[in-house]
Amino acid sequence: MKLSLASLASWALVGLSSLASAERMLYSDSLNPCQATNNFSATQFDVVLTPSNNSLSFSVVGVSTIQGNITIDLVVSAYGLQIYATTLDPCSLGFTGLCPMNEGQLNLPQSNVPIPASSLANVPGIAYTVPDLDAKVKVYFNSTTTGQSAACVEASLSNGKTVDQKAVAWALAVISGLALVASAITSGLGHSNTAAHVAANALALFGYFQAQAFIGMTAVSLPPVVASWTQNFQWSMGIIRVGFLQDIATWYQRSTGGKPSSVLSSLGTTSVEVQKRSMETVYKLMKRAAYQVHDSILRARSNAAGSNGQDTANTVIVRGIRRVGFRSGIEVTNIFLTGYIFFMIFVVAVVIGVLLFKLFCELLVKMGRMKGEKFLDFRNGWTTVLKGIMFRMVLIGFPQMVVLCFWEFTQNDSTAEMVLAVLTIFAMLSILAWASSKVIRLARRSISMHKNPAYILYSDPVSLNKWGFLYVQFKATAYYFIVPFLIYILAKGLFIALGQSAGTVQAIGLVVIEAVYLITICVLRPYMDKKTNGFNIAITVINFISAVFLLVFTGIFDQPGIVTGVMGVIFFVYNAVFSTVLLLIVLIASIIAVVAKNPDTRYQPMRDDRGSFIKSQSHLNHELDALGATARGESKHGWTGGKGARIEEDEDDSWSGGSSSNERQQQPFHGQQTAYGGPGGARSPPTQSGMPAGQQQTQAPGYPASPYEENRGYRGNGNAASPSPWQRGAGYE
């Protein structure tokens, strides 16, 4: 039976998974050179080892410069260990074209070689079932005259099973998205503590996915199972193949002066080879590699010979980001634009989703299908919430765009794409740097005035909704940790993007970066509570271990092949188990957050007492709470609409009632929305009974200085010079 490349590929993907249970086999349809001086260039190689009938079937198409009689040494190895070797005599076996061997085109039809059952018994049964089998077959062409090897070709064996599954990638993406949606819904319902925990875990999970994608993007020769496993996470970097988007990307590049890869129109003359360490010098000569994958099987293409009988194949070696694009079926010149387009689609989809949810809520309220207090904070301050969400999108897409934009600087696919990369990455860096500095300034003002950074960071809903994405996952005293986190992401991204010609340097850099970051978070423990710290420390530990494994994969320790192969399997196993545990934790927490009546009971109050400062109109269920909101000048129906100077903008306001100007202190309180400490801005506290502040000498017996203070039961320890009601009640030592 003759197996062509097309039929073998289709069979492998569509039917092999079901047929494998009935008949075990190993096959290969890719061929690479395995010695420096080669007198044989194969452009097609099909080999199938079938233990059920003790046969090895293969066919070869290529060009040879070997003359005379030869013998063929065939060696099969798995995970660095030789499991089978034999010597074949083409003359005694009747191989047409190989006895004797002549210069020119070689076309060896499908041939069958009997294999002794005793030899096949040496092949472990796991070789037929383990996904992404790390096995190879080498073929040496030895001259019978000199006894020397005139050529060597190598093929990777596969059993048709792989851990690179679209279903896995979709499941990871859906669960991550659902967790973010659950945190948004929970926040809208007023459960701020639960929303903060779910959002923090969802973002940490997404960051872990991106870290796995980073491993796959390194220029290290990865074991097959590692390359396939990390491919499942490339969606988090926007590397997703969609046919019409590829056409748009190609059109855009061509129309802006670029030159798209042309391999899709010349697959018959392109042979693709996954990078080998010994072939790095060849890779450096190929500035613009073009490659294609069909149904996720790496293989060389059958090539036609020119009219003079010479081989017309072009060998392309792929690694790093190009390897990721190759496996995804994306042209190298379209990788950057593909990732960029999906990031923009993500941002636009989120914005549209927020707008539709706002309209949907208002429609339900008007129809009487939903209570008016549901999502009240979101409905009245949705524009500020949307701004905060946009900032969060920038933070989520930051790792992706750091890698793609800086990598584009080395590719220069077109002038327009280069400009797009420059504007995008430096705009994101500027936005995150400015937002981080804003948070630090607010926290320092709060510390200088109230001895507590949480006071200003959490008491103003405008600041919380706009900038909270940078600090809510951290404890109040670690408000600054967003800066080390961004530096950590930037450093990793730069190594991945700019180190594509040096895999060993990338691996060493990642080990150092992960080690420093792990030590930092273990010492500082910056996250909001013990559970969140444990969640993030566990992820950082796994990232560090993965970086160490990556360093081993470079071969820098000159370890035996079996060590690399086994470590590749271990890498897949522990990451698969860890990913499953993380997904279950996040999924369960998200479901409980949405369906539970009061999910906040699952989480202990923060030690920084941020809940005392967060003001939500949806939970004013007690008379004293409502009275406290009225005393602060907050409207019963929502925020004050931004009248007055907000905290984040009023740099000169001390947020202390006694430090306000005389003009503010003497303003009468006749029901105006003066919004003391509220989203409308920092103003002096209201007076009692509408009397001017100067006439306020006493108060009714038993009536507290602030209903809010009385209800919360704080111990006074604020600014001694002129404490505000909240300062007197804060109770921080």
Side-chain angles (χ1 to χ4, degrees):
M1 178 178 65
K2 180 176 177 60
L3 297 176
S4 66
L5 278 175
S7 61
L8 183 59
S10 302
W11 175 43
L13 282 180
V14 178
L16 188 58
S17 58
S18 59
L19 295 176
S21 60
E23 184 174 18
R24 301 181 302 173
M25 63 184 60
L26 299 174
Y27 71 90
S28 177
D29 53 10
S30 62
L31 197 64
N32 304 315
C34 51
Q35 73 179 31
T37 303
N38 245 18
N39 294 319
F40 176 74
S41 175
T43 55
Q44 178 178 332
F45 182 75
D46 290 347
V47 58
V48 180
L49 175 64
T50 310
S52 60
N53 58 12
N54 299 336
S55 68
L56 178 69
S57 174
F58 64 91
S59 63
V60 181
V61 175
V63 174
S64 169
T65 58
I66 303 174
Q67 285 185 322
N69 293 330
I70 62 168
T71 59
I72 298 176
D73 289 340
L74 190 145
V75 180
V76 180
S77 61
Y79 298 98
L81 295 180
Q82 179 176 309
I83 61 175
Y84 175 73
T86 187
T87 299
L88 307 175
D89 184 358
C91 295
S92 61
L93 295 174
F95 288 171
T96 305
L98 296 182
C99 181
M101 200 168 186
N102 300 311
E103 291 186 6
Q105 182 76 17
L106 175 66
N107 192 340
L108 181 65
Q110 192 75 29
S111 305
N112 294 306
V113 178
I115 304 296
S118 58
S119 297
L120 287 175
N122 296 326
V123 181
I126 194 174
Y128 302 102
T129 57
V130 65
D132 297 293
L133 178 67
D134 188 3
K136 298 177 182 178
V137 55
K138 288 186 178 181
V139 181
Y140 295 90
F141 297 87
N142 304 315
S143 172
T144 56
T145 304
T146 63
Q148 300 295 320
S149 174
C152 174
V153 289
E154 177 185 78
S156 297
L157 293 177
S158 174
N159 54 24
K161 295 178 174 60
T162 178
V163 298
D164 179 10
Q165 300 290 336
K166 289 185 177 180
V168 174
W170 274 105
L172 298 174
V174 168
I175 293 177
S176 299
L178 289 178
L180 292 175
V181 172
S183 67
I185 294 175
T186 308
S187 177
L189 293 173
H191 305 298
S192 58
N193 195 8
T194 301
H197 280 85
V198 174
N201 290 343
L203 291 176
L205 177 67
F206 194 82
Y208 167 72
F209 291 165
Q210 291 179 321
Q212 292 286 288
F214 278 8
I215 296 293
M217 284 183 161
T218 58
V220 177
S221 182
L222 301 174
V225 68
V226 177
S228 295
W229 168 252
T230 56
Q231 194 71 22
N232 288 318
F233 301 91
Q234 297 303 331
W235 60 266
S236 66
M237 304 297 290
I239 308 301
I240 307 170
R241 175 177 170 79
V242 177
F244 75 91
L245 289 182
Q246 294 305 300
D247 296 336
I248 293 175
T250 300
W251 165 81
Y252 182 81
Q253 184 188 21
R254 183 179 290 112
S255 63
T256 55
K259 185 178 180 182
S261 301
S262 58
V263 72
L264 293 177
S265 59
S266 57
L267 295 179
T269 58
T270 302
S271 178
V272 181
E273 174 185 346
V274 178
Q275 168 241 350
K276 302 291 190 303
R277 288 188 296 273
S278 60
M279 299 295 291
E280 288 190 6
T281 54
V282 179
Y283 176 85
K284 293 177 181 178
L285 299 177
M286 301 181 179
K287 295 295 184 180
R288 184 62 63 186
Y291 28 73
Q292 169 68 6
V293 67
H294 180 63
D295 292 339
S296 301
I297 292 184
L298 307 182
R299 60 182 182 269
R301 299 293 178 174
S302 59
N303 305 307
S307 57
N308 57 359
Q310 299 299 316
D311 181 23
T312 61
N314 298 318
T315 301
V316 174
I317 305 173
V318 297
R319 62 178 176 182
I321 296 176
R322 298 183 175 199
R323 177 177 59 215
V324 168
F326 169 62
R327 292 179 63 100
S328 300
I330 299 174
E331 293 279 7
V332 62
T333 53
N334 287 345
I335 293 176
F336 163 73
L337 207 56
T338 298
Y340 185 86
I341 289 173
F342 272 101
F343 174 68
M344 297 306 299
I345 290 175
F346 175 57
V347 172
V348 172
V350 170
V351 172
I352 294 175
V354 171
L355 295 176
L356 291 178
F357 186 71
K358 159 68 174 175
L359 296 175
F360 182 70
C361 289
E362 296 296 344
L363 181 61
L364 289 181
V365 170
K366 289 183 178 180
M367 295 174 62
R369 301 293 182 87
M370 187 174 73
K371 295 181 179 180
E373 64 269 16
K374 289 289 186 180
F375 301 105
L376 187 60
D377 290 344
F378 166 74
R379 286 159 45 212
N380 290 334
W382 70 274
T383 54
T384 302
V385 173
L386 181 58
K387 291 177 183 178
I389 291 176
M390 293 292 291
F391 281 121
R392 190 179 293 273
M393 296 302 101
V394 173
L395 182 63
I396 292 175
F398 183 62
Q400 168 189 346
M401 300 313 296
V402 166
V403 172
L404 295 179
C405 290
F406 281 106
W407 182 68
E408 176 62 21
F409 294 167
T410 67
Q411 302 301 298
N412 193 17
D413 293 319
S414 75
T415 303
E417 290 187 42
M418 181 69 77
V419 172
L420 199 62
V422 171
L423 294 178
T424 300
I425 189 58
F426 287 107
M428 295 179 75
L429 287 170
S430 300
I431 290 172
L432 292 174
W434 181 75
S436 301
S437 67
K438 190 70 176 179
V439 170
I440 293 175
R441 293 200 306 271
L442 289 174
R444 288 179 175 176
R445 288 181 61 212
S446 184
I447 293 173
S448 65
M449 298 174 188
H450 311 291
K451 312 303 180 185
N452 179 20
Y455 190 95
I456 292 180
L457 292 179
Y458 291 96
S459 62
D460 180 16
V462 175
S463 297
L464 182 60
N465 281 286
K466 184 180 291 186
W467 314 118
F469 74 98
L470 292 176
Y471 60 81
V472 291
Q473 66 268 36
F474 305 121
K475 56 188 177 183
T477 54
Y479 59 87
Y480 59 85
F481 198 77
I482 187 62
V483 175
F485 175 77
L486 292 176
I487 294 174
Y488 161 72
I489 295 298
L490 179 62
K492 287 181 63 176
L494 288 175
F495 268 97
I496 299 299
L498 304 180
Q500 289 294 302
S501 61
T504 302
V505 174
Q506 286 180 318
I508 295 174
L510 290 181
V511 169
V512 173
I513 293 171
E514 295 292 358
V516 171
Y517 189 70
L518 176 59
I519 294 172
T520 301
I521 68 169
C522 286
V523 172
L524 297 179
R525 297 185 180 181
Y527 291 91
M528 63 176 74
D529 57 13
K530 289 183 179 180
K531 289 184 179 180
T532 310
N533 271 308
F535 192 87
N536 285 273
I537 289 175
I539 290 176
T540 308
V541 169
I542 294 298
N543 288 341
F544 172 71
I545 296 175
S546 297
V548 173
F549 272 62
L550 183 67
L551 185 61
V552 175
F553 296 153
T554 64
I556 193 174
F557 301 110
D558 197 25
Q559 71 275 5
I562 184 63
V563 174
T564 302
V566 171
M567 290 189 69
V569 175
I570 295 174
F571 179 96
F572 159 68
V573 171
Y574 80 76
N575 273 290
V577 172
F578 186 70
S579 299
T580 303
V581 172
L582 291 185
L583 286 171
L584 290 176
I585 291 175
V586 173
L587 183 60
I588 293 172
S590 301
I591 294 174
I592 294 176
V594 174
V595 302
K597 291 184 177 180
N598 188 14
D600 283 342
T601 57
R602 296 185 64 248
Y603 305 98
Q604 295 181 351
M606 301 296 138
R607 288 190 175 184
D608 54 27
D609 208 19
R610 65 182 66 181
S612 301
F613 304 122
I614 298 175
K615 299 191 290 295
S616 172
Q617 298 300 323
S618 59
H619 276 120
L620 296 180
N621 297 323
H622 302 288
E623 181 179 355
L624 289 180
D625 284 339
L627 186 58
T630 303
R632 293 192 302 271
E634 297 171 354
S635 171
K636 181 179 179 181
H637 301 288
W639 296 347
T640 60
K643 297 178 181 179
R646 293 197 302 266
I647 304 168
E648 58 172 310
E649 296 176 354
D650 189 0
E651 298 291 339
D652 296 329
D653 195 296
S654 66
W655 261 65
S656 173
S659 61
S660 302
S661 65
N662 293 332
E663 180 181 357
R664 293 184 182 182
Q665 291 179 354
Q666 295 176 2
Q667 288 179 349
F669 177 66
H670 294 293
Q672 302 106 316
Q673 297 177 2
T674 52
Y676 172 69
R683 301 183 184 177
S684 60
T687 59
Q688 300 172 24
S689 305
M691 297 174 62
Q695 301 177 21
Q696 290 285 336
Q697 302 296 334
T698 61
Q699 63 182 25
Y703 190 80
S706 168
Y708 186 80
E709 173 188 356
E710 176 72 11
N711 188 43
R712 298 297 184 185
Y714 296 132
R715 302 186 309 273
N717 186 23
N719 188 330
S722 179
S724 67
W726 281 7
Q727 283 179 291
R728 292 197 301 270
Y732 291 98
E733 304 297 336

